[in-house]
Amino acid sequence: AKVERVAPAAVELEFALSTLDEFFDDKEFVLEEAKVENPKRFRVSDASEQMARATRRLERAGKGNTATGEAAASAAALAAAADPLDPEMLRFLRLVCVGAQDAFLLESIFRSDVWDFMSYPVSGVNEETALRVIEGAIEDALEAYAPAPPLDSWSDPVDARRAALAARVLAGEVAALRSGLAFVRRELSMLDSKVYYQERRLKELDLLRPLDESEIVRSENEGGGRVSRAFDQSY
């Protein structure tokens, strides 16, 4: 991943789908259909600064108003501000990291839906792989930052002011990367509690529930008695 400085308290990380990927053609088709660039840059921001700005905006916009709908909107805005990563970053990397286990999602029958699928966790393996890619990119970016020289080492006042400004910018960028790293590691710690594609699909088909009598398939056993099997165990 490449790092690009974009603003105080924010940096951009660049990721790309490799031409060496065994599913490159399928993944490239998905990105082209979704009009997503490859490679693509994504912003990482300082969540604490975003939260502070969002809180101030909401306080100015909603002073004295405690309506339930606006309170819910405020909570949603604060939750969005707490995420230091561009949400499209993880979506892009879920697609990039699709491996043999989840490659069925790249089949033509899913072509119109696969990019939407990537908005949510695909599988435990895929989610961890995507998060590890982000984690590694952020760690590499942090290691590349050199400590700023002491401000009192500048004899020229103009150089000193420029150095002070540069130091503030660098501090903001490091804060953004650390915020992103903390977020990724928190997501990694919650892998077991995430809902993946298979479970979501079963819920959509209403199969994550106790079976009723009409869904039990009964067959004769060798002794003439009857045994019961769940419908989905028979097919």
Side-chain angles (χ1 to χ4, degrees), residues 161-228:
R161 284 196 295 273
R162 289 173 177 168
L165 177 60
R168 287 197 295 272
V169 172
L170 287 174
E173 292 173 352
V174 169
L177 290 168
R178 287 177 175 165
S179 180
L181 188 59
F183 176 84
V184 168
R185 289 176 174 169
R186 187 164 60 250
E187 290 293 301
L188 283 167
S189 72
M190 298 189 298
L191 286 173
D192 290 341
S193 63
K194 294 191 174 193
V195 179
Y196 298 106
Y197 172 80
Q198 185 177 26
E199 183 178 348
R200 292 197 303 274
R201 184 59 177 156
L202 290 173
K203 284 181 177 178
E204 289 173 5
L205 297 173
D206 195 27
L207 294 177
L208 287 181
R209 56 176 174 73
L211 297 173
D212 60 40
E213 187 66 22
S214 66
E215 295 171 312
I216 302 296
V217 177
R218 302 185 183 280
S219 61
E220 299 291 337
N221 63 14
E222 293 180 358
R226 302 184 70 82
V227 297
S228 298

Side-chain angles (χ1 to χ4, degrees), residues 2-233:
K2 295 181 182 179
V3 180
E4 182 77 16
R5 296 171 181 172
V6 291
V11 296
E12 283 186 347
L13 298 178
E14 183 180 282
F15 298 97
L17 170 64
S18 171
T19 56
L20 300 178
D21 190 304
E22 63 177 311
F23 304 111
F24 175 79
D25 290 340
D26 294 316
K27 294 176 182 179
E28 183 184 45
F29 179 85
V30 172
L31 292 175
E32 288 176 349
E33 288 294 296
K35 296 180 172 56
V36 177
E37 298 174 355
N38 178 49
K40 185 168 175 59
R41 292 176 178 175
F42 303 93
R43 178 171 289 205
V44 181
S45 305
D46 182 359
S48 61
E49 183 173 305
Q50 289 189 138
M51 283 284 287
R53 286 200 301 266
T55 301
R56 289 194 295 270
R57 285 197 302 269
L58 290 169
E59 287 174 348
R60 289 195 298 269
K63 266 187 177 177
N65 196 326
T66 58
T68 303
E70 294 200 4
S74 299
L78 287 174
D83 185 347
L85 303 184
D86 181 338
E88 292 297 291
M89 180 191 298
L90 195 50
R91 187 183 193 181
F92 181 88
L93 286 172
R94 283 176 182 138
L95 178 66
V96 168
C97 294
V98 165
Q101 174 181 316
D102 304 305
F104 68 94
L105 292 173
L106 301 174
E107 294 178 3
S108 58
I109 190 174
F110 295 117
R111 282 285 168 82
S112 61
D113 300 312
V114 65
W115 183 241
D116 291 334
F117 292 161
M118 299 299 129
S119 296
Y120 306 96
V122 175
S123 67
V125 171
N126 177 270
E127 189 77 352
E128 180 174 6
T129 304
L131 288 167
R132 293 293 183 194
V133 169
I134 301 172
E135 181 184 42
I138 293 177
E139 288 175 340
D140 289 346
L142 284 170
E143 288 179 7
Y145 277 85
L151 295 180
D152 58 9
S153 65
W154 302 95
S155 56
D156 186 300
V158 175
D159 289 340
R161 284 196 295 273
R162 289 173 177 168
L165 177 60
R168 287 197 295 272
V169 172
L170 287 174
E173 292 173 352
V174 169
L177 290 168
R178 287 177 175 165
S179 180
L181 188 59
F183 176 84
V184 168
R185 289 176 174 169
R186 187 164 60 250
E187 290 293 301
L188 283 167
S189 72
M190 298 189 298
L191 286 173
D192 290 341
S193 63
K194 294 191 174 193
V195 179
Y196 298 106
Y197 172 80
Q198 185 177 26
E199 183 178 348
R200 292 197 303 274
R201 184 59 177 156
L202 290 173
K203 284 181 177 178
E204 289 173 5
L205 297 173
D206 195 27
L207 294 177
L208 287 181
R209 56 176 174 73
L211 297 173
D212 60 40
E213 187 66 22
S214 66
E215 295 171 312
I216 302 296
V217 177
R218 302 185 183 280
S219 61
E220 299 291 337
N221 63 14
E222 293 180 358
R226 302 184 70 82
V227 297
S228 298
R229 291 182 295 167
F231 179 82
D232 58 359
Q233 291 176 330

